[in-house]
Amino acid sequence: MSSTTAALAATTTVQGALAAIDDELRGTVASILAADPAPFAAALDRLRSAERVFVLGAGRSGLALRMTAMRLMHLGLTVHVVGETTAPAIARGDALLVASGSGTTSGIVRSATTAVSVGAGVIAITTAPGSPLAELATETIVIPAAQKTDHRGSVSLQYSGSLFEQALMLLGDAFFHALWQSAGTSAEELWPRHANLEE
């Protein structure tokens, strides 16, 4: 049995699949850690100084950014999820935190275009630094992962954009953690903002 066949066979168990995912995430995080820190610092500054933060992503990317939105709210930021009925119009001084692996998702690019047109900042998280979304962005964060249409398995063994979405969730938590630590607030100070109307 070749090493490739053995590796694929190992991922047919839950533990084997988890090990493969862990290995890919470790490699992706290592690449992000080795990247230029300037865009990350600029993104933190924009989130910190924004009047309001809007988050937008399609599909699983959108779900990952909703998790980030919750944590930013816990910090005391005014946060809106684009598409929710209570989300207001974006304006100058606001920030749009948006994710698209390909950077070409039409609805995402249209929203970023609108944000730019009113003078809002755009923080784009993508795999494609030369994409239309990245060109619109004030800050671009590149996650070195497969796009959802890359079915060759050369970048990731996982299906579709799974690696991008997993890394996006971790990156959102990293944004939150860095902002929280720099704010010097305690967990007890954040706790009263947690939802208390849950079933």
Side-chain angles (χ1 to χ4, degrees), residues 106-190:
S106 59
I108 304 291
V109 173
R110 278 196 308 273
S111 294
T113 301
T114 299
V116 170
S117 73
V118 300
V122 176
I123 303 167
I125 305 174
T126 183
T127 66
S131 64
L133 179 62
E135 290 174 5
L136 288 164
T138 321
E139 292 84 28
T140 300
I141 305 295
V142 177
I143 294 177
Q147 296 181 17
K148 65 182 179 182
T149 55
D150 181 7
H151 299 157
R152 296 167 301 176
S154 58
V155 178
S156 172
L157 292 173
Q158 298 183 67
Y159 175 71
S160 195
S162 293
L163 180 58
F164 174 76
E165 295 142 6
Q166 292 154 2
L168 177 60
M169 188 194 76
L170 290 177
L171 191 59
D173 275 354
F175 277 131
F176 160 76
H177 193 80
L179 289 167
W180 176 38
Q181 295 302 301
S182 63
T185 52
S186 67
E188 288 75 16
E189 290 174 276
L190 270 56

